[in-house]
Amino acid sequence: MGRASREKGKRGEREFAGLLRQFGIESRRTQQYCGKAGTSDVSSSLEGVHIEVKRYARIAAMRFMDQAKADCKPDHLPLVAMREDGGQWAIMFRAEDLHKIATRIVDAVEM
């Protein structure tokens, strides 16, 4: 991996940690020396959550989010559920919707 790529990754990790702090979640970029198993890119006050940050020019899954945003009603939040053949389900939503979606999940489960 080239220096420019590593620097872009570091900027992405710092940016995401800053976003979490805006939500009131303590977080910081983790200093990584070898990328060994168990070391997340960002450490936070979210107990038991491993945060891996990826920042690319284009992420293929984003076209699914583009479709969800285009198709959903104005007062709805886009969420994408995806799974590769033989793989596990993954959920994607916009970071800006994290608090709203979490609140709606809690409200739905409590009903």
Side-chain angles (χ1 to χ4, degrees), residues 37-78:
T39 304
S40 63
D41 292 335
V42 172
S43 64
S44 74
S45 58
L46 297 171
E47 287 294 323
V49 176
H50 178 98
I51 300 172
E52 191 73 23
V53 177
K54 298 296 179 197
R55 185 167 176 239
Y56 290 92
R58 294 191 57 93
I59 298 174
M62 293 308 294
R63 69 176 174 249
F64 303 138
M65 179 55 71
D66 291 342
Q67 178 185 350
K69 288 189 302 190
D71 292 350
C72 76
K73 296 177 182 176
D75 60 336
H76 287 194
L77 302 171

Side-chain angles (χ1 to χ4, degrees), residues 14-43:
R14 285 190 292 269
E15 181 182 333
F16 188 74
L19 179 66
L20 290 177
R21 287 191 300 272
Q22 287 178 6
F23 292 134
I25 298 168
E26 291 180 37
S27 61
R28 65 174 176 78
R29 177 178 176 268
T30 304
Q31 189 70 20
Q32 294 182 328
Y33 297 101
C34 61
K36 69 178 186 179
T39 304
S40 63
D41 292 335
V42 172
S43 64

Side-chain angles (χ1 to χ4, degrees), residues 69-101:
K69 288 189 302 190
D71 292 350
C72 76
K73 296 177 182 176
D75 60 336
H76 287 194
L77 302 171
L79 181 145
V80 177
M82 57 192 141
R83 180 177 74 81
E84 291 182 344
D85 293 346
Q88 295 183 343
W89 283 101
I91 305 294
M92 179 174 67
F93 51 84
R94 300 176 300 188
E96 65 193 60
D97 294 334
L98 173 64
H99 186 264
K100 294 175 196 168
I101 287 177

